[in-house]
Amino acid sequence: MVSIFKSLKKNKKTIYSKTDEYKFYVENSHLIAKILPSFHLGYVEGNDFKLIQANILIKSIQNKMIIENNLEKYRQESLILPLMERDLFIRNKVWKDLDEVNAPYFILDGARIYIPIYSKGLNLIYNDECSKLFEYPYCDLKEKPISACIDSFDVYNFYLFASNFTNLILIKKDISSAAFYHPAFETIYIINDQGRLDISIHLFDRYIKNPNVNNILKRVKDVVEKFYSNDRKEFIKALYANEFISGKTFYELNHKSRLRQIKKDKLVNEGKKPYEIL
């Protein structure tokens, strides 16, 4: 189906730079450059999925800064309390700060993950054992955060993409992948279980003058179901029936599909096995 997705991308209206996602990135991308220099910011421009990933990292860094910037103040306030109560006092204060700005997080095995650039264990320290952040080696994390960073997308994967760290909406999940829809980008993303993008399905091509957004998630779900059925013809029909592609694009995709089938049949007649033909 690769040629289908290339055609959908080619025919897509350009909306990337007009989104709130892009504005947020432009205002805050300096945080990544400072803390995660290995993340290639140059790949973000014009790449909507990379932009989503970049904004996840930015929000994670912002959460980290909120916690760290208030720890010393709450530590001083907690000194009047018994030792066993200090971490709970600090945690509740920090969580209140985070809630006031609607800081994103997700729940993993009962733990709040506010900083997905770090492991679950390190998030537990930031949440529940804050006093350890004043001791070695954790005290170095404020100035040298990269020393403990993980691959957030590989480690947290679908938990992360389905959380309020993103504006993605989970549509369907199977053993090895999940389908998400992004309303601003008008795109379905098929993400694999390593947290990487397999396929983008760009909806509403440039020939559609007045996109129909009524009951859109129901319509997106129908397209996703046809995608997972691995039936090229039914997938194209679903895109058109749900008003995600114009008649012009529908004709183009069907034409390419017919040419592909003719080529496939020819190769089979020449002795190739069906499973050998991509």
Side-chain angles (χ1 to χ4, degrees):
M1 286 193 187
V2 175
S3 62
I4 294 177
F5 309 122
K6 286 183 177 179
S7 293
L8 292 175
K9 183 177 182 180
K10 180 190 72 173
N11 289 336
K12 177 66 180 171
K13 292 178 293 186
T14 302
I15 57 177
Y16 174 88
S17 61
K18 300 176 183 178
T19 62
D20 288 340
E21 289 268 12
Y22 183 70
K23 293 173 186 174
F24 178 82
Y25 166 76
V26 169
E27 291 171 1
N28 299 286
S29 60
H30 62 281
L31 295 177
I32 299 181
K34 179 180 178 181
I35 293 179
L36 294 168
S38 61
F39 186 83
H40 297 288
L41 293 174
Y43 297 161
V44 174
E45 290 298 328
N47 186 323
D48 44 0
F49 186 71
K50 279 289 185 183
L51 179 63
I52 292 168
Q53 289 184 308
N55 284 347
I56 289 172
L57 299 178
I58 289 169
K59 291 172 185 176
S60 176
I61 294 166
Q62 288 178 329
N63 284 353
K64 176 180 179 292
M65 292 170 63
I66 290 171
I67 295 172
E68 291 173 342
N69 290 342
N70 288 297
L71 275 180
E72 184 60 40
K73 177 178 68 174
Y74 297 140
R75 181 194 190 193
Q76 294 300 318
E77 291 178 11
S78 72
L79 293 178
I80 62 172
L81 299 172
L83 186 61
M84 297 295 290
E85 296 179 19
R86 291 177 186 175
D87 277 331
L88 180 60
F89 172 83
I90 296 172
R91 188 196 74 176
N92 288 340
K93 287 283 192 179
V94 167
W95 281 11
K96 183 180 178 183
D97 290 337
L98 292 163
D99 287 344
E100 284 179 355
V101 295
N102 295 314
Y105 70 90
F106 58 92
I107 302 293
L108 179 62
D109 299 330
R112 288 192 185 193
I113 307 298
Y114 278 107
I115 313 175
I117 58 171
Y118 288 156
S119 67
K120 177 190 170 187
L122 201 46
N123 271 271
L124 286 172
I125 289 174
Y126 269 83
N127 288 346
D128 301 327
E129 301 176 85
C130 308
S131 58
K132 287 187 177 180
L133 294 170
F134 299 105
E135 304 168 0
Y136 184 82
Y138 306 111
C139 60
D140 286 345
L141 290 175
K142 186 172 183 179
E143 299 302 325
K144 301 176 183 177
I146 196 172
S147 63
C149 286
I150 60 170
D151 183 333
S152 310
F153 310 110
D154 185 33
V155 173
Y156 295 117
N157 205 301
F158 303 141
Y159 286 100
L160 181 54
F161 288 110
S163 73
N164 56 353
F165 276 93
T166 79
N167 293 309
L168 293 169
I169 300 169
L170 178 63
I171 303 298
K172 181 182 176 69
K173 180 181 173 185
D174 71 1
I175 295 174
S176 60
S177 70
F180 295 86
Y181 177 66
H182 195 294
F185 292 136
E186 298 172 345
T187 299
I188 299 167
Y189 300 97
I190 309 299
I191 301 173
N192 63 37
D193 56 5
Q194 282 82 50
R196 299 301 187 265
L197 179 67
D198 276 346
I199 292 163
S200 295
I201 306 171
H202 298 273
L203 308 180
F204 299 123
D205 62 64
R206 65 177 180 269
Y207 305 113
I208 298 176
K209 301 303 180 185
N210 298 299
N212 176 11
V213 295
N214 294 327
N215 300 313
I216 193 162
L217 293 183
K218 181 180 179 181
R219 291 155 55 207
V220 166
K221 184 176 180 182
D222 182 47
V223 168
V224 167
E225 292 292 344
K226 295 300 190 297
F227 168 83
Y228 276 99
S229 72
N230 205 30
D231 187 318
R232 177 186 295 262
K233 188 174 181 179
E234 289 300 311
F235 174 67
I236 295 171
K237 283 172 60 178
L239 285 168
Y240 184 60
N242 286 286
E243 302 178 64
F244 291 132
I245 59 174
S246 63
K248 182 178 177 67
T249 298
F250 179 61
Y251 173 81
E252 178 185 331
L253 294 180
N254 273 326
H255 180 65
K256 288 182 177 180
S257 186
R258 285 193 295 271
L259 290 178
R260 181 182 181 278
Q261 188 61 49
I262 291 170
K263 181 179 179 182
K264 186 175 181 179
D265 291 343
K266 181 181 178 182
L267 291 172
V268 168
N269 291 334
E270 291 174 355
K272 285 273 189 180
K273 301 295 183 184
Y275 60 81
E276 295 178 313
I277 304 169
L278 295 178

